[in-house]
Amino acid sequence: MKHIFNKGTNPNKPTFLMLHGTGGNELDLLPLAGVIDDEANVLSVRGNVLEQGMPRFFRRLSEGVFDEEDLIFRTNELNEFLNEAAEKYEFDRDNIIAIGYSNGANIAASLLFHYQHALKGAILLHPMVPRRGITLPDLANTSVFIGAGTNDPICSPEETKELQQLLQQANANVELHWGNRGHQLTMGEVESAKEWYLKLG
Ligand code: MLT
């Protein structure tokens, strides 16, 4: 997968997996990684799917309706890519924290839904429920921050709470942050995500 890897200055820090929103690319979220922890490794990936020229991490049939077969295929592809990248760049495969926005948050959530050890933690900014009707792996020891907007037209508050519940039922440790906004990224949620990250230790 097309990506950027920036080695961090502190080997004890995690690797941030940056996952952009629809129409974005691997450059978009680099500043965000620096705000959360500028000593961590950064692996920023471009989605392999194009929708009218806009990069995404998996296909969708329409707004909010995912192509499940492609979602499963792309989630596996990303998980395999993480295995390869950890070897190539010599970072700890068990210490990856995903930071995803919108479509990127959805593929990060899908990694959590399908693979027990894909991520140590995740900052999901405006995520949706990636799949329904499946049993999640045991996510004990996995920490998740969800940034959501009370007026988000793409990810409704009900869906946000459903995602929180599904992750908690799988034993993940979930913190939910509400902003009184829509689908856009806000500085408030980034600051809350940073506080959450600092508490992880
Ligand atoms: C998706 O398709 O993943 C969601 O609708 C979010 C987005 O618009 O990218």
Side-chain angles (χ1 to χ4, degrees):
M1 299 183 77
K2 192 163 167 44
H3 66 279
I4 292 171
F5 181 76
N6 291 332
K7 195 162 182 60
T9 52
N10 184 339
N12 299 319
K13 294 293 178 80
T15 298
F16 289 148
L17 170 65
M18 312 306 290
L19 302 163
H20 61 79
T22 299
N25 64 42
E26 66 279 15
L27 297 172
D28 289 4
L29 298 182
L30 292 178
L32 205 58
V35 170
I36 307 277
D37 187 344
D38 62 4
E39 294 184 341
N41 296 317
V42 179
L43 178 63
S44 192
V45 185
R46 184 184 298 196
N48 259 347
V49 165
L50 280 181
E51 183 186 273
Q52 293 172 346
M54 296 185 297
R56 285 177 53 86
F57 287 96
F58 56 89
R59 290 199 189 93
R60 61 180 162 183
L61 305 175
S62 60
E63 175 73 55
V65 183
F66 300 157
D67 177 335
E68 235 178 58
E69 200 179 314
D70 192 58
L71 174 64
I72 294 164
F73 177 81
R74 299 293 169 189
T75 304
N76 178 58
E77 181 180 55
L78 180 56
N79 195 42
E80 293 291 320
F81 171 76
L82 295 177
N83 295 339
E84 289 159 21
E87 272 199 23
K88 180 173 172 194
Y89 297 117
E90 300 179 328
F91 63 79
D92 182 357
R93 176 67 185 86
D94 296 324
N95 198 8
I96 298 177
I97 296 183
I99 304 180
Y101 168 62
S102 191
N103 183 246
N106 294 340
I107 191 101
S110 183
L111 280 172
L112 295 171
F113 271 45
H114 291 100
Y115 300 101
Q116 187 173 19
H117 300 297
L119 301 173
K120 185 180 172 215
I123 295 175
L124 306 178
L125 303 169
H126 303 269
M128 296 165 68
V129 173
R131 271 190 86 188
R132 293 187 170 83
I134 60 165
T135 304
L136 273 62
D138 184 359
L139 295 174
N141 305 319
T142 307
S143 296
V144 181
F145 174 93
I146 299 177
T150 49
N151 297 307
D152 191 329
I154 296 172
C155 320
S156 70
E158 291 71 34
E159 186 159 352
T160 300
K161 285 179 217 152
E162 185 187 349
L163 178 63
Q164 178 188 28
Q165 232 173 38
L166 288 169
L167 290 168
Q168 281 174 338
Q169 281 162 5
N171 304 315
N173 184 1
V174 185
E175 186 172 311
L176 175 53
H177 172 271
W178 288 106
N180 201 8
R181 294 292 187 90
H183 195 60
Q184 72 269 38
L185 258 178
T186 68
M187 212 42 219
E189 66 196 0
V190 172
E191 276 157 15
S192 298
K194 181 173 182 163
E195 279 167 30
W196 166 89
Y197 168 78
L198 292 173
K199 280 188 292 184
L200 290 183

